[in-house]
Amino acid sequence: MAPRLRLLPLVLAGLVPAVATADEVPRVQIEWNLRVRTERVDDDAFARDADATTARLRAGVRFQPGGGFSALVEGEGIAAAGDAYNSGANGRSAYPLVVDAEGAELNQAWLAWKNARVQATVGRQRLLFDNQRWIGNSGWRQNEQTFDALLLEATPRPDLTARYAWLQRVHRVNGDDAIDPLARERALDSHLFELAWKRDVQQLAAYAWLHEDEDVATASTATYGLRSATSTVRDGNGWGLSLELARQRDYANSPLSFSHSYWLIEPSITRRGVAWRAGWEHLGGDGRHALQTPLATLHAFNGWADKFGVTPVGGLEDRYLGAAGKFATNRFDWQLAWHDYRADTGGRYGSEWNAALGFPLGAQLKGLVKIADYRADGFARDTTKAWVQVEWVGHRQYSRGGE
């Protein structure tokens, strides 16, 4: 196979002429995100607990030269106080894993153009499709997941959107210094298609994720699905219903042969600002292989203890209850959830409680306290995780002739 062009050098070469040739007054925005977090992990599979205190600074420059063009160059650096945890890069395998490794890297570098109906973005970028169950940035981790990709979006009419993305490479949350080179990044030849319709309280989407992993052939899959989301919530009252059905099979260079089902049923009701929900998510498995979501935002699904980032070969049935709301004039927000985990092929994995409280610490500062408690019943070991986090997000815009 002839070597393919890498997207990123082409984008970086295009940033300067795009800004310099614009006719309109250019604008430049400096953006930053500083997040400091302590994570403690008590996993019965290890004799030692993990304590990870890390700081992540992400900073970028966004160019808006006019003429429909925009561009972003963004880097990030992660530092840690101590090494009493296994980051995946520090060799501390006697401790539980906390995937927040020290290091610095280019996070995003993309060039985009859009008009009223069409948008194109090329380069290293953050991709968020729908609820991020299949394609996301894993934003909970200090080093987020980004993609070297081409993204095309078209809106032929206000209620209809078509999206296509070609993925050349995924930069994973483990960082550039992970001991396992396959945990750092993967070479891809993946094609993502989605057609979405939205009107009033109803949203519908049909998708095809044709994912070819050129580094790990057994990870290549084709997933076809339909998603429906309805929400009538107004002024803190109403109901909602999310439904999804998909089928995943072997694809492209995969040496395997399989076909698995996925479904989600999640009704919800909101009263006086408190949202109550119940859910049943099914990831099929046959005891030899199971449905996988390797490009997803994994931490947001199947519990915050992260026991099911890779679906067990027996599949996964996650039945859950949850509630969320705000108080103190909407300054504080809280979440509470309970999960019951079972295998698709029979048998029980365990259960888990999750709880979180978010609160303001100033105009641009926000605090978060969060806990996950997993009780094993046939899969993994009892695990408790706790987090305390402070995050500062800001930006400052400049234009020719002043701020």
mmCIF file of all heavy atoms in Angstrom, residues 287-308:
data_model
loop_
_atom_site.group_PDB
_atom_site.id
_atom_site.type_symbol
_atom_site.label_atom_id
_atom_site.label_comp_id
_atom_site.label_asym_id
_atom_site.label_seq_id
_atom_site.Cartn_x
_atom_site.Cartn_y
_atom_site.Cartn_z
ATOM 1 N N GLY A 287 -19.782 -14.870 24.321
ATOM 2 C CA GLY A 287 -18.847 -15.667 25.098
ATOM 3 C C GLY A 287 -17.465 -15.761 24.479
ATOM 4 O O GLY A 287 -16.515 -16.159 25.148
ATOM 5 N N ARG A 288 -17.352 -15.397 23.197
ATOM 6 C CA ARG A 288 -16.050 -15.381 22.513
ATOM 7 C C ARG A 288 -15.660 -13.971 22.088
ATOM 8 O O ARG A 288 -14.477 -13.639 22.004
ATOM 9 C CB ARG A 288 -16.089 -16.283 21.275
ATOM 10 C CG ARG A 288 -16.377 -17.736 21.575
ATOM 11 C CD ARG A 288 -16.406 -18.587 20.314
ATOM 12 N NE ARG A 288 -17.360 -18.089 19.343
ATOM 13 C CZ ARG A 288 -18.664 -18.371 19.337
ATOM 14 N NH1 ARG A 288 -19.155 -19.164 20.274
ATOM 15 N NH2 ARG A 288 -19.469 -17.886 18.413
ATOM 16 N N HIS A 289 -16.660 -13.146 21.816
ATOM 17 C CA HIS A 289 -16.439 -11.786 21.334
ATOM 18 C C HIS A 289 -17.671 -10.968 21.696
ATOM 19 O O HIS A 289 -18.775 -11.507 21.849
ATOM 20 C CB HIS A 289 -16.222 -11.788 19.813
ATOM 21 C CG HIS A 289 -15.844 -10.443 19.251
ATOM 22 N ND1 HIS A 289 -16.785 -9.505 18.877
ATOM 23 C CD2 HIS A 289 -14.627 -9.886 19.019
ATOM 24 C CE1 HIS A 289 -16.164 -8.431 18.431
ATOM 25 N NE2 HIS A 289 -14.850 -8.634 18.508
ATOM 26 N N ALA A 290 -17.482 -9.637 21.841
ATOM 27 C CA ALA A 290 -18.594 -8.769 22.203
ATOM 28 C C ALA A 290 -18.535 -7.458 21.429
ATOM 29 O O ALA A 290 -17.474 -7.067 20.919
ATOM 30 C CB ALA A 290 -18.593 -8.476 23.705
ATOM 31 N N LEU A 291 -19.657 -6.793 21.348
ATOM 32 C CA LEU A 291 -19.745 -5.472 20.726
ATOM 33 C C LEU A 291 -18.840 -4.496 21.461
ATOM 34 O O LEU A 291 -18.806 -4.466 22.687
ATOM 35 C CB LEU A 291 -21.198 -5.001 20.755
ATOM 36 C CG LEU A 291 -21.529 -3.636 20.150
ATOM 37 C CD1 LEU A 291 -22.879 -3.688 19.431
ATOM 38 C CD2 LEU A 291 -21.548 -2.537 21.203
ATOM 39 N N GLN A 292 -18.114 -3.667 20.694
ATOM 40 C CA GLN A 292 -17.167 -2.720 21.279
ATOM 41 C C GLN A 292 -17.435 -1.311 20.766
ATOM 42 O O GLN A 292 -17.999 -1.117 19.683
ATOM 43 C CB GLN A 292 -15.725 -3.110 20.941
ATOM 44 C CG GLN A 292 -15.328 -4.510 21.398
ATOM 45 C CD GLN A 292 -15.303 -4.666 22.911
ATOM 46 O OE1 GLN A 292 -15.139 -3.684 23.653
ATOM 47 N NE2 GLN A 292 -15.440 -5.895 23.383
ATOM 48 N N THR A 293 -17.014 -0.306 21.558
ATOM 49 C CA THR A 293 -17.153 1.109 21.177
ATOM 50 C C THR A 293 -15.814 1.811 21.404
ATOM 51 O O THR A 293 -15.686 2.673 22.278
ATOM 52 C CB THR A 293 -18.270 1.785 22.002
ATOM 53 O OG1 THR A 293 -17.930 1.739 23.396
ATOM 54 C CG2 THR A 293 -19.605 1.081 21.793
ATOM 55 N N PRO A 294 -14.783 1.504 20.618
ATOM 56 C CA PRO A 294 -13.423 1.980 20.905
ATOM 57 C C PRO A 294 -13.205 3.466 20.697
ATOM 58 O O PRO A 294 -12.207 4.006 21.190
ATOM 59 C CB PRO A 294 -12.567 1.169 19.922
ATOM 60 C CG PRO A 294 -13.483 0.856 18.786
ATOM 61 C CD PRO A 294 -14.824 0.627 19.429
ATOM 62 N N LEU A 295 -14.086 4.161 19.977
ATOM 63 C CA LEU A 295 -13.917 5.593 19.732
ATOM 64 C C LEU A 295 -14.869 6.438 20.562
ATOM 65 O O LEU A 295 -15.009 7.635 20.330
ATOM 66 C CB LEU A 295 -14.118 5.891 18.239
ATOM 67 C CG LEU A 295 -13.232 5.115 17.267
ATOM 68 C CD1 LEU A 295 -13.525 5.526 15.834
ATOM 69 C CD2 LEU A 295 -11.754 5.308 17.582
ATOM 70 N N ALA A 296 -15.506 5.847 21.543
ATOM 71 C CA ALA A 296 -16.532 6.530 22.332
ATOM 72 C C ALA A 296 -15.935 7.335 23.481
ATOM 73 O O ALA A 296 -14.758 7.219 23.816
ATOM 74 C CB ALA A 296 -17.521 5.514 22.889
ATOM 75 N N THR A 297 -16.793 8.147 24.106
ATOM 76 C CA THR A 297 -16.487 8.762 25.399
ATOM 77 C C THR A 297 -16.911 7.759 26.460
ATOM 78 O O THR A 297 -18.062 7.727 26.887
ATOM 79 C CB THR A 297 -17.229 10.093 25.556
ATOM 80 O OG1 THR A 297 -16.697 11.033 24.624
ATOM 81 C CG2 THR A 297 -17.065 10.653 26.958
ATOM 82 N N LEU A 298 -16.002 6.885 26.877
ATOM 83 C CA LEU A 298 -16.374 5.707 27.648
ATOM 84 C C LEU A 298 -16.793 6.021 29.080
ATOM 85 O O LEU A 298 -17.684 5.379 29.631
ATOM 86 C CB LEU A 298 -15.207 4.718 27.649
ATOM 87 C CG LEU A 298 -14.839 4.165 26.257
ATOM 88 C CD1 LEU A 298 -13.553 3.364 26.346
ATOM 89 C CD2 LEU A 298 -15.976 3.316 25.707
ATOM 90 N N HIS A 299 -16.161 7.002 29.717
ATOM 91 C CA HIS A 299 -16.414 7.259 31.139
ATOM 92 C C HIS A 299 -17.865 7.644 31.408
ATOM 93 O O HIS A 299 -18.372 7.424 32.516
ATOM 94 C CB HIS A 299 -15.479 8.378 31.622
ATOM 95 C CG HIS A 299 -15.613 8.686 33.080
ATOM 96 N ND1 HIS A 299 -15.106 7.870 34.070
ATOM 97 C CD2 HIS A 299 -16.197 9.726 33.720
ATOM 98 C CE1 HIS A 299 -15.363 8.400 35.255
ATOM 99 N NE2 HIS A 299 -16.029 9.523 35.075
ATOM 100 N N ALA A 300 -18.546 8.192 30.422
ATOM 101 C CA ALA A 300 -19.921 8.652 30.615
ATOM 102 C C ALA A 300 -20.933 7.509 30.611
ATOM 103 O O ALA A 300 -22.104 7.729 30.917
ATOM 104 C CB ALA A 300 -20.288 9.657 29.526
ATOM 105 N N PHE A 301 -20.496 6.281 30.281
ATOM 106 C CA PHE A 301 -21.420 5.162 30.143
ATOM 107 C C PHE A 301 -20.985 4.000 31.018
ATOM 108 O O PHE A 301 -19.799 3.765 31.238
ATOM 109 C CB PHE A 301 -21.484 4.721 28.668
ATOM 110 C CG PHE A 301 -21.955 5.804 27.744
ATOM 111 C CD1 PHE A 301 -21.049 6.663 27.152
ATOM 112 C CD2 PHE A 301 -23.306 5.989 27.499
ATOM 113 C CE1 PHE A 301 -21.478 7.678 26.305
ATOM 114 C CE2 PHE A 301 -23.745 6.998 26.662
ATOM 115 C CZ PHE A 301 -22.834 7.851 26.062
ATOM 116 N N ASN A 302 -21.983 3.257 31.535
ATOM 117 C CA ASN A 302 -21.735 2.027 32.293
ATOM 118 C C ASN A 302 -20.905 2.265 33.546
ATOM 119 O O ASN A 302 -20.075 1.428 33.921
ATOM 120 C CB ASN A 302 -21.061 0.977 31.410
ATOM 121 C CG ASN A 302 -21.773 0.754 30.087
ATOM 122 O OD1 ASN A 302 -21.136 0.724 29.039
ATOM 123 N ND2 ASN A 302 -23.092 0.646 30.101
ATOM 124 N N GLY A 303 -21.145 3.408 34.198
ATOM 125 C CA GLY A 303 -20.569 3.657 35.506
ATOM 126 C C GLY A 303 -19.218 4.331 35.491
ATOM 127 O O GLY A 303 -18.377 4.076 34.628
ATOM 128 N N TRP A 304 -19.014 5.202 36.478
ATOM 129 C CA TRP A 304 -17.788 5.994 36.547
ATOM 130 C C TRP A 304 -16.590 5.211 37.067
ATOM 131 O O TRP A 304 -15.457 5.692 37.004
ATOM 132 C CB TRP A 304 -18.022 7.216 37.429
ATOM 133 C CG TRP A 304 -19.059 8.150 36.869
ATOM 134 C CD1 TRP A 304 -19.442 8.263 35.569
ATOM 135 C CD2 TRP A 304 -19.830 9.099 37.601
ATOM 136 N NE1 TRP A 304 -20.413 9.226 35.434
ATOM 137 C CE2 TRP A 304 -20.682 9.763 36.677
ATOM 138 C CE3 TRP A 304 -19.916 9.470 38.940
ATOM 139 C CZ2 TRP A 304 -21.586 10.759 37.048
ATOM 140 C CZ3 TRP A 304 -20.813 10.460 39.321
ATOM 141 C CH2 TRP A 304 -21.633 11.100 38.377
ATOM 142 N N ALA A 305 -16.804 3.990 37.563
ATOM 143 C CA ALA A 305 -15.669 3.179 38.000
ATOM 144 C C ALA A 305 -14.888 2.630 36.809
ATOM 145 O O ALA A 305 -13.804 2.072 36.985
ATOM 146 C CB ALA A 305 -16.142 2.028 38.883
ATOM 147 N N ASP A 306 -15.421 2.777 35.594
ATOM 148 C CA ASP A 306 -14.729 2.408 34.352
ATOM 149 C C ASP A 306 -14.369 0.931 34.288
ATOM 150 O O ASP A 306 -13.303 0.562 33.788
ATOM 151 C CB ASP A 306 -13.466 3.257 34.164
ATOM 152 C CG ASP A 306 -13.787 4.732 33.978
ATOM 153 O OD1 ASP A 306 -14.794 5.036 33.319
ATOM 154 O OD2 ASP A 306 -13.041 5.577 34.500
ATOM 155 N N LYS A 307 -15.266 0.077 34.742
ATOM 156 C CA LYS A 307 -15.012 -1.364 34.681
ATOM 157 C C LYS A 307 -15.343 -1.954 33.313
ATOM 158 O O LYS A 307 -14.926 -3.077 33.013
ATOM 159 C CB LYS A 307 -15.831 -2.089 35.764
ATOM 160 C CG LYS A 307 -15.370 -1.795 37.172
ATOM 161 C CD LYS A 307 -13.925 -2.230 37.370
ATOM 162 C CE LYS A 307 -13.419 -1.979 38.771
ATOM 163 N NZ LYS A 307 -12.007 -2.360 38.929
ATOM 164 N N PHE A 308 -16.069 -1.214 32.472
ATOM 165 C CA PHE A 308 -16.546 -1.792 31.228
ATOM 166 C C PHE A 308 -16.146 -0.954 30.017
ATOM 167 O O PHE A 308 -16.878 -0.867 29.033
ATOM 168 C CB PHE A 308 -18.070 -1.967 31.286
ATOM 169 C CG PHE A 308 -18.509 -2.853 32.422
ATOM 170 C CD1 PHE A 308 -18.971 -2.311 33.612
ATOM 171 C CD2 PHE A 308 -18.417 -4.231 32.307
ATOM 172 C CE1 PHE A 308 -19.359 -3.125 34.669
ATOM 173 C CE2 PHE A 308 -18.793 -5.059 33.356
ATOM 174 C CZ PHE A 308 -19.273 -4.507 34.540
#
